[in-house]
Amino acid sequence: MKAITEILNNKVSVFPDAKNVNSCISTTVGDWLNGCINPKNKNLMPLIEQIRQTTDKKEKAALKLKLPAVVLGAEVTTRAANVSDEKKIIERTGLLCFDIDAQDNPGLDATEIRDKLSLCTNVIFAALSVSGKGVWGLVEMQYPDKIKQHFEQLKADFLIIGIKLDASKGSNPTDLRFYSYDP
């Protein structure tokens, strides 16, 4: 396992919103995660609160599209669908991002799960999702080029403890993660 400082210094790509596929900036994993804990852009807080208060799924989805987003599995040049992953990726971070959603886990107490996961030595980071009802987190992979196999194993490991991971996120290093706030 890499030293945590090495992991936090990995470069990742941030997009101003999910619709934007080309205008990205580079930052570090550590800077992105710190921004989730201590937001630099205070203008995002009302939007996050609005998302957390909204019950209409379509409205919530539309609001999320306004948030900045990051690719935590790699530093990329673009998110354009017509460009292969091999051409998009500048360098893989070796990180796998996972999602635990309330709809897949009835009775989920997101805060409790986040707190328990934050105690796991293999979980680098765990936080509440944008909705505040789910959890997302990061783990390091031993073989970044085998992300699909790592993800399948992670899903199996979580199922053993009664947690179903969102199968639509985690197996691709170019997956997009919306900004979320969790102090």
Side-chain angles (χ1 to χ4, degrees), residues 103-117:
Q103 71 262 19
D104 297 329
N105 297 278
L108 172 80
D109 180 332
T111 303
E112 181 182 331
I113 296 295
R114 177 212 50 206
D115 293 348
K116 286 182 178 178
L117 288 175

Side-chain angles (χ1 to χ4, degrees), residues 25 33 60 68 75 77 84 90 109 113-114 142 146 149 166 168 182:
I25 59 166
L33 298 180
K60 190 176 289 229
E75 183 180 16
T77 57
S84 69
I90 297 168
D109 180 332
I113 296 295
R114 177 212 50 206
Q142 186 172 6
K146 297 184 185 228
Q149 293 91 328
D166 179 349
S168 70
D182 185 0

